[in-house]
Amino acid sequence: MSIRWSYASPRIALIPALAITGVAFFGAIFWTVWISFTRSRRFPDYTIAWDDLTRQYDRLFGDNAWVTSLENVVFLAVGSALAILFGFVLAAMIEREKRGEGFFRTVFLYPLAVSFIVTGLVWRWMFNPDLGIENFLHGLGFENASFNWLGDRRTAMYGIILASIWHGLGFYMALMLAGLKSINSEIWKAARLDGVGVWRLYLEVIVPMMKFTFLTCAILLSLGVVKTYDIVLAMTGGGPGTSTWTPAYFVVNSYAQRGNIGYASAAAVMMLVMTALIFLPLVLLTAWQSRRRTEQVR
């Protein structure tokens, strides 16, 4: 009897957590999808508009602000991917130079302790022409220097990408550093004995061995990019115009400013679809790589 109870007790303990997950996660998804097929405005209307079922989605893809937000999220993903590249470079430099590893790791991880709102406000101040970098350069005598990126719709997204890279760089560096430390030290010794150059060693040996780490970083980056909201709110408020809107900002704006929960729900459903299209292939690829590695070890 004790054996049966020891087997059943942890499963019974999981029931409340599974129930909460089912209601809060899957229930919320179902509710959002349902509302997106209704004519809900400020408050939910649970009557599905069967005569015009895709009304909200037709409006959504005819909205230039939504198209702009989709373009921005792709641009943000490509630009923010530099954080993974720079994180690997920093991790490789720290791994090769053992002295001061703890200090530099702490310094580069520090931005991660700051929220996106604080990060956005700091970088907004830095891009302010009267207070930030531009004013500093003018004080040094560079009168023609211009650093007001957030005031120009053509460069505002570059400012957000720069702030995002600064915020996430240390996190990806830590992941890459953990991946480098997991590599057998005999590989480094054998490469030195064979006279293999540093660049060749990293490109042909180390990077292929860290495919799993790179995939993990790509998954985390993609999830973070799709839900980008707070740093945009803090830095530009979506402006100039709608030039820095992202899907998450569009969803919040659709309900808070337009007062249309049905429209916002349709945009949220499309965010879910985008996340699934990005997330699931990466997860399946990671699982395939893990299974292949296990089979090779056997």
Side-chain angles (χ1 to χ4, degrees):
M1 187 68 180
S2 60
I3 296 177
R4 291 181 179 179
W5 175 249
S6 64
Y7 176 82
S9 58
R11 288 160 177 77
I12 295 174
L14 284 174
I15 291 177
L18 293 175
I20 293 173
T21 301
V23 173
F25 184 73
F26 295 105
I29 291 176
F30 176 78
W31 185 86
T32 303
V33 173
W34 183 281
I35 292 297
S36 71
F37 291 115
T38 67
R39 290 190 172 94
S40 300
R41 297 290 297 178
R42 174 67 67 178
F43 299 102
D45 177 4
Y46 295 100
T47 304
I48 293 182
W50 295 106
D51 57 330
D52 196 6
L53 193 62
T54 60
R55 175 175 178 269
Q56 304 289 9
Y57 294 93
D58 293 338
R59 289 180 55 205
L60 185 65
F61 285 98
D63 193 329
N64 290 331
W66 174 251
V67 175
T68 299
S69 69
L70 293 179
E71 294 173 350
N72 285 341
V73 79
V74 173
F75 188 53
L76 184 61
V78 174
S80 298
L82 292 174
I84 298 178
L85 176 61
F86 293 150
F88 175 75
V89 173
L90 287 176
M93 294 172 66
I94 293 175
E95 173 66 16
R96 288 180 60 84
E97 183 57 57
K98 302 295 183 181
R99 291 175 297 180
E101 177 180 336
F103 170 77
F104 287 108
R105 186 167 51 192
T106 302
V107 169
F108 288 117
L109 275 173
Y110 176 75
L112 195 63
V114 181
S115 69
F116 270 117
I117 290 291
V118 175
T119 298
L121 291 175
V122 170
W123 279 88
R124 182 175 182 174
W125 175 83
M126 291 176 64
F127 284 117
N128 189 308
D130 298 322
L131 302 172
I133 298 175
E134 183 175 326
N135 182 62
F136 175 74
L137 293 175
H138 290 174
L140 294 178
F142 299 98
E143 297 295 334
N144 295 325
S146 177
F147 213 70
N148 186 22
W149 288 9
L150 302 184
D152 189 338
R153 61 187 306 119
R154 296 171 299 179
T155 58
M157 280 303 299
Y158 290 107
I160 293 175
I161 289 173
L162 188 59
S164 300
I165 291 174
W166 179 83
H167 186 271
L169 181 60
F171 174 68
Y172 296 112
M173 180 210 68
L175 291 179
M176 292 296 178
L177 191 58
L180 287 171
K181 288 185 177 296
S182 66
I183 296 176
N184 195 326
S185 59
E186 297 299 324
I187 294 177
W188 303 93
K189 295 177 182 178
R192 281 195 289 266
L193 289 175
D194 292 340
V196 178
V198 175
W199 286 103
R200 185 180 176 187
L201 172 63
Y202 276 100
L203 291 176
E204 298 183 9
V205 180
I206 303 303
V207 171
M209 292 182 67
M210 292 181 61
K211 287 185 293 186
F212 188 83
T213 304
F214 278 98
L215 282 172
T216 301
C217 291
I219 291 172
L220 295 174
L221 177 71
S222 62
L223 293 177
V225 166
V226 171
K227 63 180 184 180
T228 298
Y229 168 75
D230 35 13
I231 195 168
V232 174
L233 178 67
M235 290 186 69
T236 65
T242 60
S243 60
T244 57
W245 280 29
T246 60
Y249 190 91
F250 184 95
V251 170
V252 176
N253 181 271
S254 295
Y255 181 67
Q257 301 297 326
R258 302 187 187 185
N260 193 327
I261 194 173
Y263 195 49
S265 297
V269 170
M270 294 312 302
M271 281 184 62
L272 178 63
V273 172
M274 285 190 298
T275 303
L277 291 176
I278 298 171
F279 181 69
L280 290 179
L282 290 175
V283 169
L284 292 175
L285 183 59
T286 303
W288 176 74
Q289 289 286 350
S290 179
R291 186 170 61 253
R292 184 181 177 187
R293 179 186 297 181
T294 303
E295 292 175 352
Q296 289 176 349
V297 170
R298 290 178 181 176

